[in-house]
Amino acid sequence: MKYWLMKSEPDVFGIEHLKKCKKQTEPWDGIRNYQARNFMRDDMTIGDQAFFYHSNCAEPGIVGIMEIVSDPYPDFTQFDADSNYYDAKSDPDDPRWILVDVKFVRELEQPVSLKHLKANADRFDDFRLLAKGNRLSIMPVTRKQWNTVLEMEKELGQ
DNA sequence: GCCAACGTTGGC
DNA sequence: GCCAACGTTGGC
């Protein structure tokens, strides 16, 4: 099993949205970055776990856990002219944008903020989230990094 | 294939 | 709202 981190703006789609929606499962739509797409298309497997990260908000950080529950398939929003994610250049016979479905697993009892992650950066080796200028919205997380974040969750609850 | 211009991301 | 860091686009 592999581990991931996936960013979303809580004003647009936050962890509580995923928690409330039908079957607590949603397509992770709107990704328009090739590197992020490639991770979903080529590297994700059903059963992989992912951190839900809130970006572009008052307290950016890791707030929950999701599971990858589908194989990759085309992002329908790319063909929806009314969607913010519409892509006129995408060919229906060869869709440019691919996504997976994610399912809510749980919220962290104590969110692990970006501030906290940065303050403890020495406990991670090469965490991409903490790399300077990192803007990637989907990235791999090592098992060790995953466990360290969960340790921090526990510590914060003490 | 280079690179300037432009658009986006995301922390602050 | 600002702006640094990136990614993409398109002229040449």
Side-chain angles (χ1 to χ4, degrees):
Chain A
M1 180 169 64
K2 295 183 295 301
Y3 299 97
W4 304 94
L5 181 143
M6 301 167 83
K7 296 182 187 173
S8 184
E9 302 186 17
D11 292 346
V12 180
F13 186 80
I15 184 85
E16 65 284 356
H17 293 107
L18 182 63
K19 189 180 181 180
K20 272 188 248 162
C21 66
K22 199 181 165 196
K23 292 187 179 175
Q24 298 189 317
T25 299
E26 276 285 288
W28 197 261
D29 58 28
I31 298 300
R32 296 293 179 269
N33 169 281
Y34 289 105
Q35 225 182 329
R37 177 206 65 184
N38 291 348
F39 284 132
M40 291 197 285
R41 188 189 62 185
D42 304 333
D43 299 324
M44 282 188 182
T45 310
I46 292 175
D48 285 356
Q49 305 265 109
F51 283 133
F52 197 127
Y53 178 92
H54 279 174
S55 67
N56 213 357
C57 57
E59 189 77 29
I62 296 169
V63 296
I65 295 176
M66 312 180 273
E67 182 175 337
I68 309 307
V69 292
S70 80
D71 287 323
Y73 65 97
D75 181 341
F76 51 91
T77 63
Q78 69 195 300
F79 304 122
D80 177 1
D82 295 329
S83 169
N84 288 337
Y85 304 125
Y86 179 62
D87 183 351
K89 291 181 185 168
S90 184
D91 175 1
D93 293 327
D94 184 19
R96 181 180 293 187
W97 304 111
I98 301 294
L99 54 68
V100 297
D101 290 346
V102 296
K103 184 175 168 56
F104 177 86
V105 173
R106 69 176 180 91
E107 282 174 286
L108 297 195
E109 287 165 39
Q110 300 293 330
V112 181
S113 68
L114 177 62
K115 203 196 298 177
H116 190 70
L117 292 168
K118 280 183 171 171
N120 290 275
D122 56 343
R123 294 169 64 181
F124 297 103
D125 43 1
D126 295 331
F127 199 178
R128 282 187 86 160
L129 183 71
L130 303 179
K132 190 184 175 210
N134 171 64
R135 282 174 24 189
L136 196 56
S137 61
I138 296 179
M139 69 190 76
V141 173
T142 66
R143 173 186 293 270
K144 204 172 161 194
Q145 290 162 353
W146 181 272
N147 288 335
T148 302
V149 171
L150 294 183
E151 275 170 31
M152 287 179 182
E153 180 199 13
K154 275 187 196 158
E155 291 161 10
L156 288 166
Q158 283 164 6

